[in-house]
Amino acid sequence: MKAKKIAHKVAGGIALMTLLVFLSATLYSELTGNYALVAQVKSKILSPGLFILIPCLIVTAGSGFNMANGSKNKKIKAKAKRMPFIGLNGLFVLIPCAFYLNYLAQSDLFGFEFYLVQSVEVFAGLVNIFLISLNVRDGLRLSRKLTPKEQPAI
C-alpha cells in the first residue's frame, strides 16, 4: 500500500507541474510575439510533454481509485468525482487542441483560428490545473497527521 501512495503522490505532482509548465511556456511564448518560439513550445508540448503527462495522469487516477475503493470519506469521494472530468477534459479538449495547435504553428498559421483554439486550450488547461490542485489539497489534508489538539475528543 505504501508504494501505491508514493506512486500516487509523485505522479500527481508531476502531472500538476507538467500542466503548469505547459501553461507558463504557452503564455510566455505568446507574450514574446516570437512565432518560432510559439511553434517550438507547441511541438514540445506534444513530445515529450504528453509522453510525461498522460502516464502520470493514468498512474494518479488508477492508484487513487484503487486506494479509494469503497471509502465513505467525503474528501476521497470528492477527489474520485473530479478525476473523470479531468480525464475527459484532457482526452476530448486538451489533447486535440495540442495536436491542432501544433499543426497550425508548424504551418505558420497564426490567425484567428489559432488564437481561438489557443483560448480554448488555455481555459481547459486552467480548469484541469484547478481541479488537480483541489485533489492535491484534499490529498494533503487526508494524509496530514493530526496533532493532539486537533484529534477529536472521544
Side-chain angles (χ1 to χ4, degrees), residues 11-59:
I14 292 171
L16 179 58
M17 294 307 297
T18 303
L19 286 171
L20 289 168
V21 167
F22 288 179
L23 180 64
S24 300
T26 293
L27 295 176
Y28 175 77
S29 67
E30 291 292 345
L31 290 173
T32 66
N34 181 338
Y35 292 130
L37 180 59
V38 172
Q40 185 178 19
V41 166
K42 293 300 157 196
S43 174
K44 296 298 181 191
I45 285 174
L46 286 184
S47 178
L50 291 182
F51 291 105
I52 296 167
L53 179 62
I54 292 171
C56 285
L57 288 174
I58 291 169
V59 168

Side-chain angles (χ1 to χ4, degrees), residues 129-148:
I129 288 168
F130 175 72
L131 293 174
I132 292 171
S133 295
L134 290 177
N135 279 2
V136 168
R137 179 204 63 195
D138 288 346
L140 290 171
R141 287 179 177 170
L142 286 164
S143 66
R144 192 180 89 195
K145 302 277 188 259
L146 295 178
T147 64

Side-chain angles (χ1 to χ4, degrees), residues 32-97:
T32 66
N34 181 338
Y35 292 130
L37 180 59
V38 172
Q40 185 178 19
V41 166
K42 293 300 157 196
S43 174
K44 296 298 181 191
I45 285 174
L46 286 184
S47 178
L50 291 182
F51 291 105
I52 296 167
L53 179 62
I54 292 171
C56 285
L57 288 174
I58 291 169
V59 168
T60 304
S63 60
F65 282 124
N66 188 278
M67 289 185 301
N69 191 18
S71 175
K72 304 288 185 213
N73 185 295
K74 289 180 182 181
K75 284 184 177 66
I76 292 174
K77 284 183 175 184
K79 285 174 57 114
K81 283 181 182 177
R82 290 182 201 117
M83 279 311 298
F85 187 81
I86 292 166
L88 292 172
N89 188 28
L91 186 62
F92 294 114
V93 179
L94 292 170
I95 291 174
C97 283

